[in-house]
Amino acid sequence: FQLQLEDADETTTTDTHHSTGAVTFLDTPGHAAFKAMRECGSHCTDIIVLVIAADDGVSDQTREVIQLYQSQKTLSEARGEELGLIIALTKIDKPGIVLETAVRNVDSQLL
């Protein structure tokens, strides 16, 4: 879906790579069958929000997204652009989840 920015000024319209005055959200499922969709989406994004369930940990698809991020970040930097990465850890309130352990697990496997 797309969200129109109310306070968009003329600086948002000068770059032909970006849409004018809007933010586009693309949600790609984590299932392995959606690999091509994630690859396609990584070429048109400014920010990747990677959601990891604390009780599931780092999956093959999570590693795949990190690899896509790293390759797209290099391309973005070559174009003078920035690509952001936000990692959200969910299900941290489930019984038996130790937040520090879950964060350390993600940190050690991804960054």
Side-chain angles (χ1 to χ4, degrees), residues 24-91:
T24 303
F25 294 87
L26 176 64
D27 182 13
T28 59
H31 190 274
F34 294 94
K35 181 178 181 174
M37 183 187 295
R38 285 189 295 275
E39 287 175 355
C40 182
S42 73
H43 295 287
C44 63
T45 189
D46 295 313
I47 300 172
I48 295 174
V49 180
L50 178 58
V51 180
I52 302 171
D55 59 343
D56 288 341
V58 177
S59 67
D60 290 340
Q61 290 84 2
T62 303
R63 288 183 194 88
E64 170 197 319
V65 170
I66 293 296
Q67 289 173 347
L68 287 171
Y69 165 74
Q70 291 169 336
S71 65
Q72 289 305 311
K73 186 174 190 295
T74 302
L75 293 173
S76 294
E77 288 171 350
R79 292 189 302 252
E81 301 168 353
E82 292 183 36
L83 177 61
L85 174 67
I86 298 171
I87 298 177
L89 197 57
T90 63
K91 300 183 182 180

